[in-house]
Amino acid sequence: MQGDLERVLFDEPTILRRLDEIAAQISEDYRDRELTVIAVLNGSLMFMADLLRRIPLPLKLDCLSVASYHGKAETSGEVIFKQVAPPDVADRHILILDDILDSGHTLAAIREKLETANPRSIRVCVLLKKRKPRQRPVDANYVGFEIEDEFVVGYGLDFMERYRNLPCVGVLRKQLIRQPI
Ligand code: IMP
Ligand code: MG
């Protein structure tokens, strides 16, 4: 799998060191408020597991499942909610966790949907944020790393559902994106 990477951007120790910092920041910001974390599946699974174990606060955890890519390396702009019952967010302090902020369609759609259920506050935390203009006006309050506009995989991020279990984040070799594997 690692051989399919053009280069490694963040190895496991680098990711975990950065999670220590973000977790400390979140723990400080929410020390007086009970947090409800909503993790966006499947991409945020590794990130969620490693980050939340570094936050020594009482918190609730829920998950959302959406699809926006449909197996391609470009966004379709359409966000489909795959969950039947939406998580209970009324009157809670919500922290949305996602793997990557790319076009912004996914997080904008999730934010809008959760806002209709009257949470007390909503913040967004992503592992990665691409340096590029967003197609929807959405930003993240907590960001692991900013990256260039390249297609990356690993540590939860996939290409056609593969590579999620790579322990590092890396740029996928371009010829693998062009020719379906
Ligand atoms: P957005 O709606 O374009 O912001 O895309 C968000 C979703 O697209 C993420 O949650 C990922 O699942 C996927 N995505 C965007 N960029 C990448 C990438 O570089 N590698 C893998 N998945 C990506
Ligand atoms: Mg994905």
Side-chain angles (χ1 to χ4, degrees):
M1 267 197 310
Q2 193 115 4
D4 290 354
L5 297 181
E6 194 177 287
R7 63 187 194 281
V8 173
L9 293 182
F10 309 107
D11 64 10
E12 196 174 10
T14 306
I15 294 171
L16 295 180
R17 271 200 306 275
R18 181 68 185 125
L19 295 197
D20 284 338
E21 295 172 359
I22 304 177
Q25 184 67 55
I26 293 171
S27 305
E28 169 65 18
D29 293 351
Y30 288 89
R31 65 190 181 283
D32 303 323
R33 294 176 286 172
E34 194 189 56
L35 190 54
T36 297
V37 173
I38 301 202
V40 183
L41 299 175
N42 296 326
S44 71
L45 268 175
M46 317 290 166
F47 178 41
M48 169 192 73
D50 285 336
L51 181 73
L52 296 190
R53 282 179 294 174
R54 289 169 162 74
I55 300 178
L57 295 176
L59 59 78
K60 292 182 177 168
L61 172 62
D62 224 320
C63 294
L64 258 188
S65 188
V66 298
S68 55
Y69 259 39
H70 315 298
K72 286 167 273 169
E74 277 172 25
T75 184
S76 63
E78 184 193 6
V79 178
I80 300 163
F81 286 80
K82 295 200 276 185
Q83 188 152 321
V84 186
D88 185 13
V89 301
D91 226 25
R92 299 198 189 161
H93 294 289
I94 304 302
L95 182 65
I96 303 169
L97 286 193
D98 205 356
D99 51 0
I100 189 163
L101 178 54
D102 183 21
S103 72
H105 282 294
T106 306
L107 280 167
I110 291 171
R111 241 200 120 113
E112 268 167 31
K113 187 162 180 109
L114 295 182
E115 262 159 12
T116 62
N118 298 318
R120 206 173 278 186
S121 68
I122 298 190
R123 284 187 183 181
V124 173
C125 175
V126 291
L127 175 69
L128 303 171
K129 173 175 161 173
K130 286 189 188 173
R131 285 192 197 99
K132 66 191 279 190
R134 309 277 164 246
Q135 290 172 28
R136 301 275 300 268
V138 64
D139 204 1
N141 305 84
Y142 307 96
V143 175
F145 305 96
E146 286 206 27
I147 62 169
E148 296 309 321
D149 189 11
E150 295 182 291
F151 196 81
V152 295
V153 293
Y155 196 69
L157 290 126
D158 74 301
F159 176 60
M160 295 177 70
E161 298 304 324
R162 295 209 183 115
Y163 306 105
R164 292 194 197 277
N165 55 325
L166 267 178
C168 61
V169 171
V171 178
L172 191 62
R173 282 167 45 202
K174 305 276 181 302
Q175 58 267 45
L176 293 174
I177 295 176
R178 279 197 296 269
Q179 300 158 11
I181 34 182

